[in-house]
Amino acid sequence: MPARPTPASRRTVLRGAAVTPLAGLGLTACGPGAGAAGAPKPTAPVQLGAESEVAKGGATLYREHNVVVSRDDDGTLKAYSTICTHAGCAINRLQGTTLICPCHGSEFDARTGKVLQAPATEPLNELPVKVAKGRIVAGPEA
Ligand code: FES
């Protein structure tokens, strides 16, 4: 015959149930304090790598500056901030030309900044980019 729960064990169960709905919605993972949320994006031009680091049709992620630079087939460079537009995490993974956010799995095209996979809905912020003395420079007023 099963034991009857004591009043203390019922209280424990109820307390646990009150917390469960928030965890079930994943709210704890989306706040500004989650992961790398709130990571800085360039506020001034930053020197990245050599121009030769970005192949035609490819992309290079500069994690330390939160910038990705891609080059289309005609050789034009594009740069985007890699601060995720969903909740502000720093995107730290580039697979081919797909950027993958570590926080909730949004994916972006490094060549266009467009969202490939939700939950993000807004494209990455494009940054001015130029080449100076063989080095890629990106960021506001580059
Ligand atoms: Fe949520 Fe990037 S911060 S997917």
Side-chain angles (χ1 to χ4, degrees):
M1 182 169 174
R4 293 180 62 188
T6 62
S9 68
R10 256 186 269 147
R11 262 197 307 269
T12 304
V13 168
L14 290 174
R15 225 180 292 141
V19 173
T20 302
L22 284 178
L25 292 173
L27 295 178
T28 55
C30 293
K41 60 184 171 190
T43 55
V46 287
Q47 274 225 10
L48 303 172
E51 183 186 10
S52 58
E53 287 179 2
V54 186
K56 276 188 181 176
T60 300
L61 175 60
Y62 298 94
R63 284 186 190 87
E64 67 278 16
H65 295 295
N66 294 322
V67 174
V68 67
V69 178
S70 61
R71 185 189 299 274
D72 65 18
D73 291 332
D74 69 13
T76 305
L77 292 174
K78 294 237 178 176
Y80 297 92
S81 163
T82 53
I83 301 304
C84 184
T85 57
H86 174 238
C89 287
I91 298 171
N92 62 2
R93 197 161 143 219
L94 177 67
Q95 204 165 47
T97 55
T98 300
L99 291 158
I100 304 163
C101 182
C103 289
H104 315 106
S106 289
E107 295 182 6
F108 300 87
D109 188 329
R111 296 165 299 180
T112 64
K114 289 183 180 168
V115 175
L116 300 174
Q117 174 73 48
T121 57
E122 297 295 317
L124 296 174
N125 293 314
E126 188 168 358
L127 300 168
V129 61
K130 68 180 181 187
V131 175
K133 297 179 183 168
R135 311 283 298 173
I136 298 170
V137 181
E141 300 166 32

